[in-house]
Amino acid sequence: MNTKHFYSILCALGLLCVFCTACSSDEDFFYQDEPRVRLVGDKMWAVGTDSVTFSFVAYPADFTQMTIDVDAEIMGETADRDRTVNLVVDNALTTASASQYAVPTTVTVPAGQARGTFPVVIKRDASLEKKAVRLYLKVGESADFKPGVNEENHIVFIWSDVLSRPNNWPELEPFFGTYSNVKYRFMLENAGGVSEFSTDTMSWAQLNSFRIRFQNALNDYNAAHPGHPLTDENGNLVSFN
């Protein structure tokens, strides 16, 4: 190896060391001198995304709100004292009215812990039967934390109570009759937690048992509302016979 080539390698290695040292310093500053926070939704509702999507459709009429926990996770070292994260609703990106949700304005990250958990309550009302609403919640800067990276400094909740005709209704029609939104909602409310019906996964006996259950529930409903039997959105009496 000639001398010129040898010195070129040494210079390159020196520059690499300087670059690595600078990166290390930037990283230490970012995580230690400016602790930050990201928001993470419950894995059941928000796997791998910044959004939590929820539907009230499969829940009975008296189920009027859902509470979903969110973690405020620190990006950096834990501390020997409690620290506060500020939470802010971005009204420009939120379509839900204030009466349709409840969120805290702050969450505490306890001393020695890497996260603080807080509840978000999303509420059900009649307007959700026509369209979904959105809540955009983000981290606000506090004395203890700055927001995290753009992709994770917020979380979006989208919820509705909108019904749609199942694609497999032609296979279900021999059991439950002509489709209507009122009928389908009544089925879901009286299905004991079952949220879908299928000839692929349910036997004839199971589907027929549901038909009998729904008709009995309908008879009870009509008996409790004399002169006002259950009628669908087309003005037709609901029936499972």
Side-chain angles (χ1 to χ4, degrees):
M1 179 183 297
N2 59 46
T3 303
K4 183 177 181 181
H5 191 200
F6 176 74
Y7 281 114
S8 295
I9 293 175
L10 286 179
C11 289
L13 290 173
L15 288 172
L16 180 61
C17 290
V18 170
F19 177 76
C20 290
T21 301
C23 290
S24 177
S25 297
D26 287 345
E27 183 176 348
D28 289 343
F29 174 79
F30 182 83
Y31 287 111
Q32 294 181 16
D33 294 346
E34 290 189 341
R36 298 175 184 256
V37 173
R38 63 188 187 123
L39 299 181
V40 181
D42 189 308
K43 291 182 180 179
M44 179 177 180
W45 310 106
V47 177
T49 73
D50 67 349
S51 299
V52 173
T53 303
F54 182 81
S55 174
F56 282 102
V57 164
Y59 293 83
D62 59 356
F63 188 87
T64 58
Q65 63 182 40
M66 180 70 180
T67 300
I68 299 175
D69 286 338
V70 178
D71 287 333
E73 295 189 350
I74 66 171
M75 302 171 69
E77 301 295 329
T78 60
D80 59 1
R81 61 182 177 84
D82 290 352
R83 291 182 289 177
T84 299
V85 178
N86 285 342
L87 302 172
V88 179
V89 173
D90 190 327
N91 291 316
L93 298 174
T94 294
T95 61
S97 65
S99 64
Q100 291 177 307
Y101 63 84
V103 297
T105 56
T106 63
V107 57
T108 298
V109 177
Q113 299 298 310
R115 66 177 57 85
T117 302
F118 63 93
V120 172
V121 179
I122 55 177
K123 301 180 181 181
R124 188 183 204 178
D125 62 27
S127 70
L128 297 179
E129 295 181 13
K130 297 181 179 179
K131 64 178 181 179
V133 294
R134 173 191 299 262
L135 167 64
Y136 192 104
L137 185 65
K138 62 185 182 181
V139 176
E141 187 169 336
S142 69
D144 294 316
F145 294 105
K146 292 181 178 293
V149 295
N150 289 339
E151 295 80 6
E152 296 181 314
N153 65 3
H154 67 274
I155 189 167
V156 181
F157 289 82
I158 302 169
W159 68 103
S160 75
D161 197 12
V162 178
L163 277 176
S164 60
R165 180 179 182 269
N167 292 331
N168 67 337
W169 192 265
E171 289 78 40
L172 300 176
E173 191 164 341
F175 298 94
F176 308 125
T178 303
Y179 176 83
S180 73
N181 285 343
V182 171
K183 174 183 284 189
Y184 189 41
R185 187 176 295 279
F186 187 84
M187 290 168 59
L188 293 172
E189 290 177 351
N190 291 278
V194 175
S195 59
E196 61 181 22
F197 307 91
S198 172
T199 55
D200 294 330
T201 59
M202 295 178 175
S203 66
W204 180 93
Q206 287 175 305
L207 289 168
N208 194 55
S209 177
F210 273 116
R211 181 190 67 80
I212 294 171
R213 175 192 290 192
F214 297 148
Q215 186 59 50
N216 289 338
L218 179 63
N219 292 340
D220 292 340
Y221 175 92
N222 290 340
H225 300 80
H228 300 282
L230 188 63
T231 304
D232 68 22
E233 65 272 20
N234 304 308
N236 300 316
L237 293 176
V238 173
S239 175
F240 296 97
N241 287 326

